Amino acid sequence: TQLLEQSPQFLSIQEGENLTVYCNSSSVFSSLQWYRQEPGEGPVLLVTVVTGGEVKKLKRLTFQFGDARKDSSLHITAAQPGDTGLYLCAGVYAGNNRKLIWGLGTSLAVNP
Amino acid sequence: KAGVTQTPRYLIKTRGQQVTLSCSPISGHRSVSWYQQTPGQGLQFLFEYFSETQRNKGNFPGRFSGRQFSNSRSEMNVSTLELGDSALYLCASSLGTQGPEAFFGQGTRLTVV
């Protein structure tokens, strides 16, 4: 059962453009994480958000956690080819014994 | 500080065989989780071990099993391989006592022919 929905599934943009990807659920998260995965490698943790309405910035990446803690977004400003990869969100639902639930990811290609 | 190490990186097996994958977590991490990743299904949780005990389990058949040793190293075994078991198998380590943040290895690419 897929509990986390990520959109869009695929995104191909030109270098310098801005983009936003989304992670949505009908249930409340106790925490949510974003990862980036490059081909042939394991996912790498980018950020963890815990508080509703929280905004975190990591250079050109801005992560936002929804007020109700049911959704999150990742915004990339002035995308670069090095941003290419699979962006995954993973959440922990309150009371599910810390098990991470994963979205299917957004595959981003930034063309030079 | 060394990262998570998975061996082997690549493996080709035939149907019906069995396979054992290994994962060495980050030093000091006591939790090891295993995932299967395929293009259509994404990351599917197999199981988590913490201090040599299975703490969480996903919805995979009994052909998939694992264990953890006293030094926190973990192995995953798949018996009677099927074509559909072809996937990237990822191991993630964490402290296991604080947040769920996971640190992944590079994975083992298993191909069943």
Side-chain angles (χ1 to χ4, degrees):
Chain A
T1 302
Q2 186 62 43
L3 300 176
L4 276 183
E5 292 191 0
Q6 289 192 246
S7 60
Q9 190 175 355
F10 300 98
L11 193 55
S12 179
I13 62 171
Q14 294 300 121
E15 183 175 1
E17 292 184 8
N18 301 331
L19 67 117
T20 302
V21 298
Y22 301 92
C23 176
N24 296 296
S25 173
S26 57
S27 300
V28 177
F29 299 113
S30 58
S31 69
L32 186 140
Q33 296 154 28
W34 284 93
Y35 293 78
R36 181 171 68 211
Q37 183 178 22
E38 298 184 16
E41 303 291 328
V44 175
L45 178 65
L46 297 174
V47 77
T48 298
V49 287
V50 177
T51 305
E54 183 176 5
V55 177
K56 283 192 174 179
K57 293 194 174 185
L58 187 65
K59 296 183 181 177
R60 294 176 293 99
L61 278 60
T62 301
F63 304 86
Q64 187 159 7
F65 202 15
D67 291 341
R69 292 188 290 145
K70 292 183 179 182
D71 55 86
S72 180
S73 63
L74 159 58
H75 182 79
I76 301 179
T77 303
Q80 299 176 2
D83 295 326
T84 294
L86 180 67
Y87 287 82
L88 294 157
C89 67
V92 177
Y93 293 105
N96 82 336
N97 200 21
R98 297 164 32 87
K99 190 165 70 175
L100 279 171
I101 306 299
W102 294 81
L104 289 178
T106 292
S107 181
L108 171 65
V110 182
N111 306 301
Chain B
K1 194 172 186 180
V4 179
T5 303
Q6 288 188 247
T7 56
R9 285 294 307 276
Y10 304 94
L11 208 47
I12 299 175
K13 291 284 189 178
T14 56
R15 277 182 298 174
Q17 287 187 311
Q18 73 162 13
V19 66
T20 299
L21 312 181
S22 179
C23 173
S24 294
I26 292 170
S27 178
H29 284 193
R30 293 161 61 190
S31 169
V32 173
S33 296
W34 288 90
Y35 292 88
Q36 181 194 68
Q37 187 178 32
T38 57
Q41 297 295 317
L43 272 159
Q44 300 289 309
F45 173 75
L46 282 154
F47 28 66
E48 179 201 7
Y49 285 88
F50 178 78
S51 294
E52 302 180 66
T53 300
Q54 189 178 85
R55 184 161 71 171
N56 272 308
K57 189 177 187 304
N59 298 320
F60 277 80
R63 300 186 296 109
F64 292 81
S65 63
R67 59 178 176 169
Q68 187 179 33
F69 302 96
S70 58
N71 61 357
S72 293
R73 189 177 72 86
S74 178
E75 288 183 346
M76 190 192 92
N77 185 273
V78 188
S79 62
T80 320
L81 284 165
E82 301 176 359
L83 294 179
D85 297 333
S86 295
L88 180 66
Y89 289 87
L90 291 160
C91 160
S93 83
S94 69
L95 288 168
T97 55
Q98 297 175 18
E101 289 85 353
F103 298 88
F104 284 84
Q106 292 178 300
T108 294
R109 171 72 63 185
L110 172 65
T111 302
V112 183
V113 297

